[in-house]
Amino acid sequence: QLSPYFYAKTCPDLFGIVRREVQNALKNEMRMGASLLRLHFHDCFVNGCDGSILLDGDEDSEKFAAPNLNSARGFEVIDRIKSSVESACSGVVSCADILAIAARDSVQLSGGPFWFVPQGRRDGLVSNGTLANISIPAPTDTLDTIISKFNNVGLDHKDVVTLSGSHTIGRAKCASFSKRLFNFSEIGAPDDTIETDTLTELQNLCPESGDGNITSVLDQDSADQFDNHYFKNLLHGKGLLGSDQILFSSEDATATTKPLVQFYSENERFFLMEFAYAMVKMGNINPLTGSEGEIRKNCRVVNS
Ligand code: HEM
Ligand SMILES: [Ca+2]
C-alpha cells in the first residue's frame, strides 16, 4: 500500500527538500549520514516504521532505551528537514516517511546505491522504550538471538548480513565493544577472532576503564564511504562489534551468514543492489496507513 509516488501531487518538491537538507548536514559532518540511517533502523524495529523513535518522552520512551540513550543522533537534522517540508507543504508528509527518505539520501550521498522509497507511512502515537530494549539487537547478542530479532519483524538471516553492511559507515563508542578487547565472555581474555594489530589499536583507543564515549570508526578501511569494505574486514578479523565479527567467525555462521559475507566481500555491486532491496523490505515493516496514526506537525510530539 506504500508507494514511491504517494506525495507526487501533494508535495512535489519533497525529494529535493530532503536531499538538500541531508546534503547540508553531511557537509557539516559526514558521520550524520550513518546516524540518520541508524535512526530509520531503530524506528522500524519498534512498532514498525512509524517515527516513534523521534518522539521526546520520559525514561519509558525509545530515546531513553539502552540502544538509543547517549547513542542515537540526528534528531536536530530531522527537525530541520521537517520544518522545510512543512513550509512547502504543511500537514502532508509524515515524520516516518521523512526519516525513510533521509536514510536513502544518506546512503546515496555516502557513495551507496539509490532506491525508490515507498511512502505513505503515518506517524505513531506512542514511543515504547521497553519494546525498543527487547526488539533492537545488541552488539553482544549471539547470532541466533540477532537472527530471531530480525525474524520477529519479518526479516531473515540474509537480511541480517545485508543490512549489517550499514556498518560500512559510521562510528561506535568504546562502550559498545570494549568487552571484546579485554574480558570476553567465559574465556576471560580478548575475543580471539580479533586480528592482532586491530586488537592492539583498539586497546590503545579504548583502555580498560577509560572513557566509554570515545568512538572508533566501524569500517577502518573506508569509514565514510558506502562500499563493501565492511565485509572484506570481516574476512580478516577486523569487524568492530561482536555482532559484526560473528557473522563470519562464529560456529553458527557457517550454515547461515558466513557464505553471504564471503560473497559480498567479493561482489560489491551485488551487495549494493541487495542492500537497496533490503532497505525497502525493512522500510515496509508494519507501517501505519489510511486513517491510522497521524501526520505529526512536530516530529518530537504527537499532535494535540
Ligand atoms: C545486526 C544487528 C545490529 C547490531 C547489534 C547493531 C549495533 C550497533 C551498535 C552497537 C552501534 C554503535 C552505537 C554506539 O556505540 O553509539 C551501531 C552503529 C550503527 N549501526 Fe548498527 N547494529 C545492527 C544492525 C544495523 C542495521 C540493520 C543498520 C541499518 C540498516 C545499522 C546501522 C548502523 C549505523 C549506520 C551505525 C553508525 C551510526 C553512527 O555513526 O551514528 N545497524 N550499530
Ligand atoms: Ca566503508
Side-chain angles (χ1 to χ4, degrees):
Q1 61 279 41
L2 301 183
S3 152
Y5 311 107
F6 192 81
Y7 301 110
K9 293 218 171 69
T10 52
C11 198
D13 287 339
L14 175 60
F15 298 118
I17 295 167
V18 178
R19 172 64 51 111
R20 242 180 341 265
E21 293 289 350
V22 174
Q23 230 155 9
N24 284 338
L26 265 60
K27 209 184 305 165
N28 184 51
E29 186 203 17
M30 201 57 201
R31 180 189 176 188
M32 191 49 73
S35 304
L36 293 172
L37 172 58
R38 184 165 185 245
L39 275 190
H40 181 46
F41 159 49
H42 284 198
D43 180 26
C44 293
F45 267 57
V46 185
N47 278 334
C49 315
D50 67 343
S52 54
I53 194 177
L54 303 173
L55 289 171
D56 284 341
D58 58 16
E59 51 281 5
D60 297 327
S61 71
E62 289 171 38
K63 285 185 183 180
F64 283 80
N68 295 326
L69 188 66
N70 193 21
S71 179
R73 55 204 296 283
F75 299 108
E76 303 75 17
V77 176
I78 296 299
D79 290 341
R80 224 169 293 135
I81 303 174
K82 174 67 170 173
S83 93
S84 301
V85 170
E86 286 297 300
S87 307
C89 16
S90 176
V92 168
V93 183
S94 68
C95 296
D97 280 342
I98 287 175
L99 189 49
I101 300 166
R104 188 273 313 275
D105 286 350
S106 293
V107 169
Q108 201 196 2
L109 291 168
S110 302
F114 173 87
W115 62 93
F116 290 100
V117 179
Q119 293 144 50
R121 301 169 189 81
R122 293 170 63 85
D123 295 321
L125 305 176
V126 293
S127 171
N128 188 337
T130 308
L131 197 55
N133 279 319
I134 297 170
S135 312
I136 298 172
T140 48
D141 282 346
T142 63
L143 185 56
D144 275 354
T145 301
I146 291 173
I147 291 174
S148 68
K149 285 178 177 176
F150 273 64
N151 289 343
N152 287 342
V153 294
L155 302 176
D156 62 25
H157 66 280
K158 282 186 59 188
D159 298 315
V160 172
V161 178
T162 311
L163 292 171
S164 289
S166 296
H167 294 171
T168 184
I169 55 173
R171 312 281 188 276
K173 295 181 296 182
C174 293
S176 298
F177 57 86
S178 58
K179 267 232 139 60
R180 302 183 71 212
L181 307 178
F182 301 101
N183 207 344
F184 185 60
S185 65
E186 309 83 48
I187 63 179
D191 180 342
D192 60 12
T193 63
I194 309 176
E195 182 268 334
T196 53
D197 290 344
T198 301
L199 178 62
T200 308
E201 275 170 42
L202 291 176
Q203 285 175 333
N204 287 329
L205 181 72
C206 309
E208 197 160 8
S209 40
D211 179 358
N213 287 315
I214 292 171
T215 62
S216 163
V217 297
L218 279 155
D219 171 1
Q220 55 172 283
D221 251 36
S222 58
D224 297 313
Q225 189 66 28
F226 201 100
D227 52 22
N228 72 337
H229 293 195
Y230 167 80
F231 298 104
K232 291 177 186 287
N233 291 339
L234 297 185
L235 264 55
H236 301 111
K238 295 178 177 181
L240 184 67
L241 305 176
S243 53
D244 294 323
Q245 196 59 48
I246 51 169
L247 301 177
F248 184 77
S249 302
S250 70
E251 262 173 51
D252 295 339
T254 316
T256 52
T257 53
K258 184 177 177 176
L260 195 53
V261 169
Q262 179 97 38
F263 190 62
Y264 285 155
S265 75
E266 294 158 4
N267 295 273
E268 180 163 67
R269 302 211 141 258
F270 197 76
F271 161 59
L272 296 176
M273 192 182 73
E274 298 247 289
F275 184 81
Y277 281 115
M279 284 298 292
V280 171
K281 200 170 159 188
M282 186 180 86
N284 282 335
I285 297 171
N286 205 22
L288 301 175
T289 55
S291 59
E292 299 170 315
E294 63 181 12
I295 304 299
R296 239 177 258 155
K297 293 187 172 69
N298 173 343
C299 293
R300 293 176 183 268
V301 290
V302 297
N303 298 341
S304 48

